[in-house]
Amino acid sequence: MRKVMEMQMKLGDVLIENIEFDLQSRDEIPKVLIGLQRIYCDVEKRKKVFKVLMDLIPEDVDPNNGRSGMDLWKTLVLCIIRLSCNWDYDNLVEIANNHRTLRLMLGHGYFESRCRYALQTVNI
């Protein structure tokens, strides 16, 4: 199912605009996530980005079918992280399942540790 993003928060969820990053980190992940957070917080930019993403979905694809849980926001975050860090899909799965800040950006709260990504799920 290709929703833009899940709006219903669950217990332990953190608002994306409230995620804090280690500004002293020299790793590329916090820098990329800060950029994504800026896009998310700017409603006009976010609408433009999702309009482009919705236009990329082929017309013969039913937006009501597909992998549940992989909304457009999660797809965008995983794609941007993979390309920015120059990772293969195995690396992306490992980080998506174990990097706390990235999981918050994907919409997984502190208590949602059972939600795991499989290689086939992220191989978009």
Side-chain angles (χ1 to χ4, degrees):
M1 221 176 318
R2 293 293 182 210
K3 295 187 291 185
V4 172
M5 62 180 43
E6 182 63 50
M7 299 307 289
Q8 179 66 43
M9 293 190 69
K10 297 173 286 307
L11 183 65
D13 282 359
V14 176
L15 293 172
I16 291 175
E17 53 266 16
N18 293 342
I19 297 173
E20 295 181 11
F21 301 96
D22 178 8
L23 300 178
Q24 303 301 315
S25 174
R26 294 172 35 178
D27 189 58
E28 65 266 12
I29 296 174
K31 293 173 181 72
V32 173
L33 294 179
I34 289 169
L36 286 166
Q37 184 183 47
R38 298 264 187 195
I39 290 171
Y40 180 87
C41 292
D42 186 330
V43 177
E44 289 303 313
K45 284 183 186 167
R46 185 173 67 203
K47 284 181 182 178
K48 288 178 184 178
V49 167
F50 287 130
K51 168 87 171 79
V52 170
L53 291 176
M54 291 298 285
D55 291 344
L56 290 174
I57 298 174
E59 290 183 22
D60 61 335
V61 172
D62 183 1
N64 297 318
N65 290 327
R67 297 176 185 143
S68 61
M70 281 302 287
D71 55 40
L72 289 177
W73 174 251
K74 290 177 184 172
T75 303
L76 175 68
V77 170
L78 291 172
C79 288
I80 295 293
I81 283 287
R82 188 181 83 77
L83 293 173
S84 298
C85 298
N86 196 26
W87 290 340
D88 61 16
Y89 288 104
D90 292 315
N91 256 3
L92 182 62
V93 168
E94 180 63 28
I95 296 299
N97 286 331
N98 296 304
H99 193 280
R100 183 179 60 88
T101 311
L102 176 58
R103 290 186 61 78
L104 290 175
M105 187 64 73
L106 290 168
H108 303 297
Y110 291 113
F111 305 122
E112 204 174 345
S113 62
R114 284 189 230 165
C115 180
R116 310 289 290 172
Y117 291 93
L119 181 61
Q120 187 60 37
T121 303
V122 300
N123 194 350
I124 303 164

